[in-house]
Amino acid sequence: MPEQIPAHYDINGQVNRWGSKYEALILPAVTLLFGLFMLGMARFCARREENGHNNEKVCLVMGIVSMLLFDGMTGFFLYTAFGGVESLSSVRIDINQLVCGLLGLSMVVVGNIMPKLRMNSLMGLRTGWSMKNETTWKKSQRFGGISFIAAGILMMAACCLTKEIACIGISLGILILVSIVDVYYTYRIAKIY
């Protein structure tokens, strides 16, 4: 790797700061620390919660999915650093599409896991309404899982059809919308049960 690598890009994808090649180790270090944090949370779930062993497995899967998201970003940044890419427009892969696409894929995986979660204090679609009782919890997690899967598929489609700031804007819009819909659903379901 060259001694000086692109360390930061502006909104137009042009290098606006060069740094030491050792700065390329920051994101892998953060990824490793995050993985250790998720492992610790999984063990914490197993000890603290009544249904901890089920939630421990779910937390581990969510940690692995998150690590894959970070690994995708790390791979992209190492590629641009190794090549000394001065303009992101010269790279075939758009970082915004990569990140939002991986986030969409992660949401599909998490959406499949959510209905398996048992009531806990750490993970899932947790609102005061969803934690009212076991019935509201199960219905909220099932609805949240379906909405996460749908949102993830929409985000991946948006990443295939748009680039740059449009990709980010649409993906953020989808995340905000699904969050509002999910919280409102927990409110409505708590009124019924």
Side-chain angles (χ1 to χ4, degrees):
M1 192 174 283
E3 290 298 318
Q4 292 291 307
I5 62 167
H8 190 267
Y9 294 91
D10 64 15
I11 196 157
N12 297 320
Q14 303 298 317
V15 174
N16 61 2
R17 187 175 79 76
W18 291 83
S20 166
K21 66 181 177 183
Y22 298 107
E23 287 184 48
L25 298 175
I26 293 172
L27 191 57
V30 168
T31 302
L32 181 64
L33 291 174
F34 183 77
L36 292 173
F37 169 76
M38 290 302 287
L39 183 62
M41 292 307 294
R43 290 190 178 150
F44 178 76
C45 285
R47 277 186 265 137
R48 183 159 184 236
E49 304 289 338
E50 182 181 319
N51 303 311
H53 294 292
N54 176 62
N55 293 339
E56 178 184 22
K57 291 175 188 171
V58 170
C59 193
L60 285 173
V61 170
M62 290 172 70
I64 290 169
V65 168
S66 301
M67 296 280 291
L68 290 174
L69 177 67
F70 281 125
D71 288 342
M73 292 183 343
T74 300
F76 180 84
F77 292 131
L78 288 175
Y79 171 77
T80 58
F82 187 74
V85 176
E86 292 187 32
S87 174
L88 292 179
S89 62
S90 64
V91 179
R92 290 185 186 187
I93 300 172
D94 179 28
I95 184 66
N96 302 315
Q97 287 177 305
L98 176 68
V99 171
C100 293
L102 288 174
L103 183 60
L105 182 62
S106 300
M107 288 182 69
V108 170
V109 173
V110 170
N112 279 303
I113 292 171
M114 283 178 70
K116 297 173 183 74
L117 278 174
R118 295 191 181 120
M119 194 180 296
N120 67 81
S121 60
L122 287 172
M123 300 175 295
L125 180 52
R126 293 179 44 253
T127 65
W129 302 301
S130 69
M131 297 186 77
K132 180 179 177 185
N133 57 48
E134 194 67 34
T135 303
T136 59
W137 175 264
K138 285 180 181 177
K139 290 190 176 292
S140 296
Q141 299 315 305
R142 180 159 173 74
F143 182 83
I146 292 168
S147 67
F148 264 53
I149 291 169
I153 291 169
L154 288 173
M155 284 176 67
M156 289 187 290
C159 291
C160 292
L161 301 173
T162 62
K163 291 185 179 229
E164 300 170 1
I165 199 76
C167 181
I168 292 174
I170 292 170
S171 296
L172 284 176
I174 291 168
L175 283 174
I176 291 168
L177 181 63
V178 78
S179 299
I180 291 169
V181 168
D182 285 352
V183 170
Y184 179 73
Y185 180 82
T186 63
Y187 167 75
R188 294 294 297 160
I189 204 71
K191 292 282 188 190
I192 297 170
Y193 295 97

